[in-house]
Amino acid sequence: MPLQIILGTQWGDEGKGRVVDLFSSRADLVARYNGGDNAGHTVTVGSQTFKLHLIPSGIVHAHTRGVLGSGMVVNPVTFFTELDSLRASGVEVDPLRLKLSYAAHLITPAHKALDAAQEASRGREKIGTTGRGIGPAYTDKAARQGLRAGELLDESEFLEKLRAHIAAANRVLERLYQAPTLDVDRVSADYAAQALRLRPYLADTGLLVHQALAEGRIVLAEGAQGTLLDLDLGTYPFVTSSATTSGGVFSGLGLGLRPVEAIIGVTKAFQTRVGSGPFPSEVEGELAERLRGTGSNPWDEFGTTTGRPRRVGWLDLVLLRYAARVNGLTDLVITKLDVLSGLPELRLCTAYRGGGGRWEDLPFGPTELEKYSAEYEVLPGWSEDLTGIRRWAQLPAAALRYLERIETAVGVPIRMVSVGPERSQIVERG
Ligand code: IMP
């Protein structure tokens, strides 16, 4: 029963989209288990670049089926906008190919308004959310007052609940945040018109995934965001509101542990972060500009969802070791190795100093990271352009040494590296 999990080991934006794309060429079903349209997955196929936020990126393959699992929060407006843009690019996705869990929660305009109001009220403490209403939607879910996709099946009851939900959010917006309120009639009518279009896509997706696995089909669980943004295991409170780690796969899809075949952690060859929160190996100035790129290429370090420039730094092996442990990683994929070409020397954060000690593993996990400073190991760089390399043995000796150092420190084998944004620019280890 081959379930393969692909997830990010950092703060998101590791390049999971293109890795999922590669693995989905061999998969039958690609399922997202967490988050919503806060994600940004970029897949480049020839001259076409797909930017997906909500729909599993593996769907760009004509033979795959897609699932949005019970752990997700779904904005119907984004759902249909993405379907339209896929269609415009020649990728036809009908309700037979794509299924949405009846247990997934819906994101409404009220959730987005609350997200904005909460962020504004946080002032200097703001999280830097994507503004997509993710936190408030999961808050309603945990408070057992959310709107589930399955409720769309009873239209009049759904409308009643929706109106009550918007009216309740208005009271919070007005009284707690002194923020503008929503027009209950207009917003409910507009939103319901979109949301009700989701009905043909509804299914018990857990059963669907289970059946696919029982038939021996390959199912790919596609993670969104990254390990360090996990609600429980990340750099709380600067996290997202879902379970991004491998544990989230099982409740987020409705599966048990047994079918797992591989847990593949995608790691960028350096570190990036978008939004607020501590980042011990962060760099600034010329080096940061060099790693980030100018923004003129789709793969430069600017948020796919928000367009914000990402913060950048050296690869942090303390955090990567942590990610390997909490996810039970079986393999690593290193992306964007080509970006490091031309740097005379490279640094790897191998330990932290702070709180009167030196730490290779943090005593309380990745909390209060601002207390620590990074300790680095310096390795020689390489000058060769890697973008044309397709075989492991062709990688320069210094690049191999860099990869080997990561592997030894983390204790997980590197299965492949990417050397450019194209589908073909992947070097698999023989
Ligand atoms: P939210 O998920 O919009 O609530 O944002 C919470 C935090 O997670 C913010 O720091 C966001 O920048 C970050 N975040 C959410 N989704 C992504 C993603 O797909 N990539 C990188 N960061 C993300």
Side-chain angles (χ1 to χ4, degrees):
M1 297 224 287
L3 173 68
Q4 300 173 346
I5 300 171
I6 295 182
L7 49 78
T9 61
Q10 297 164 309
W11 281 292
D13 309 317
E14 296 90 352
K16 295 179 290 294
R18 59 98 40 91
V19 179
V20 169
D21 174 56
L22 180 79
F23 277 79
S24 35
S25 60
R26 304 160 199 162
D28 300 290
L29 203 146
V30 184
R32 268 203 47 195
Y33 58 90
N34 77 295
D37 57 350
N38 49 346
H41 293 169
T42 308
V43 183
T44 306
V45 185
S47 59
Q48 274 185 313
T49 296
F50 299 93
K51 288 194 177 206
L52 294 169
H53 300 283
L54 184 60
I55 293 178
S57 49
I59 207 79
V60 302
H61 290 269
H63 72 277
T64 53
R65 286 185 293 152
V67 155
L68 289 94
S70 51
M72 290 191 72
V73 284
V74 173
N75 185 332
V77 178
T78 313
F79 183 91
F80 290 109
T81 308
E82 277 185 12
L83 286 192
D84 288 345
S85 85
L86 281 167
R87 189 167 298 127
S89 310
V91 179
E92 204 54 55
V93 183
D94 61 29
L96 287 177
R97 279 192 70 202
L98 186 66
K99 288 293 176 197
L100 164 65
S101 169
Y102 66 89
H105 278 246
L106 296 174
I107 297 184
T108 69
H111 290 135
K112 287 185 73 170
L114 285 167
D115 196 354
Q118 286 168 359
E119 274 290 83
S121 78
R122 288 184 185 117
R124 284 159 51 91
E125 301 294 306
K126 75 169 190 274
I127 293 167
T129 71
T130 57
R132 299 295 168 108
I134 305 294
Y138 279 112
T139 303
D140 275 349
K141 171 178 169 172
R144 295 158 293 182
Q145 60 191 24
L147 291 163
R148 303 216 301 177
E151 294 181 67
L152 290 164
L153 294 174
D154 185 332
E155 186 174 337
S156 63
E157 205 172 304
F158 175 73
L159 264 171
E160 204 177 305
K161 271 193 87 170
L162 176 65
R163 290 174 61 87
H165 154 75
I166 293 173
N170 273 347
R171 288 193 288 279
V172 177
L173 287 166
E174 189 175 17
R175 294 187 201 161
L176 197 61
Y177 300 113
Q178 291 80 49
T181 55
L182 304 173
D183 178 330
V184 178
D185 291 331
R186 191 181 52 77
V187 171
S188 304
D190 289 353
Y191 180 80
Q194 289 291 314
L196 289 164
R197 292 174 62 205
L198 288 171
R199 287 189 294 188
Y201 296 88
L202 289 176
D204 179 346
T205 51
L207 181 61
L208 222 137
V209 171
H210 172 80
Q211 283 167 343
L213 288 166
E215 287 164 11
R217 298 182 189 282
I218 297 176
V219 174
L220 208 64
E222 172 178 342
Q225 292 82 47
T227 300
L228 302 170
L229 290 173
D230 184 279
L231 180 59
D232 293 297
L233 302 170
T235 48
Y236 192 89
F238 300 103
V239 293
T240 189
S241 300
S242 68
T244 62
T245 42
S246 59
V249 172
F250 307 104
S251 59
L253 291 183
L255 283 181
L257 304 181
R258 264 200 297 174
V260 181
E261 184 184 75
I263 306 176
I264 299 153
V266 184
T267 304
K268 207 177 280 180
F270 48 100
Q271 202 86 10
T272 62
R273 175 164 209 174
V274 61
S276 324
F279 184 168
S281 63
E282 185 167 12
V283 300
E284 276 165 9
E286 222 172 278
L287 177 60
E289 277 166 33
R290 166 84 173 62
L291 292 173
R292 186 180 296 120
T294 56
S296 56
N297 303 307
W299 57 87
D300 286 344
E301 298 295 345
F302 290 79
T304 317
T305 305
T306 58
R308 290 179 286 182
R310 295 182 189 137
R311 300 156 66 194
V312 294
W314 297 113
L315 183 61
D316 188 326
L317 295 179
V318 179
L319 295 178
L320 185 53
R321 216 171 13 246
Y322 173 80
R325 171 161 60 87
V326 300
N327 288 299
L329 295 183
T330 58
D331 305 88
L332 278 174
V333 174
I334 307 290
T335 57
K336 294 189 96 168
L337 190 64
D338 54 299
V339 172
L340 299 182
S341 287
L343 292 174
E345 61 172 36
L346 302 171
R347 287 171 177 237
L348 286 168
C349 167
T350 47
Y352 287 153
R353 286 197 181 273
R358 178 180 179 276
W359 314 95
E360 289 187 4
D361 291 294
L362 290 164
F364 296 107
T367 47
E368 303 190 356
L369 282 186
E370 66 279 358
K371 286 188 187 157
Y372 301 97
S373 59
E375 184 179 294
Y376 294 107
E377 199 170 297
V378 181
L379 277 83
W382 59 88
S383 54
E384 293 90 332
D385 173 10
L386 307 187
T387 53
I389 291 182
R390 296 293 175 270
R391 291 215 323 273
W392 196 266
Q394 293 170 331
L395 288 167
L400 288 172
R401 203 163 140 203
Y402 185 72
L403 296 173
E404 275 157 25
R405 185 66 191 95
I406 297 171
E407 215 171 47
T408 329
V410 179
V412 177
I414 297 174
R415 184 155 161 183
M416 57 182 75
V417 299
S418 83
V419 291
E422 280 288 329
R423 247 182 197 172
S424 63
Q425 288 176 301
I426 290 259
V427 185
E428 291 202 49
R429 202 169 196 174

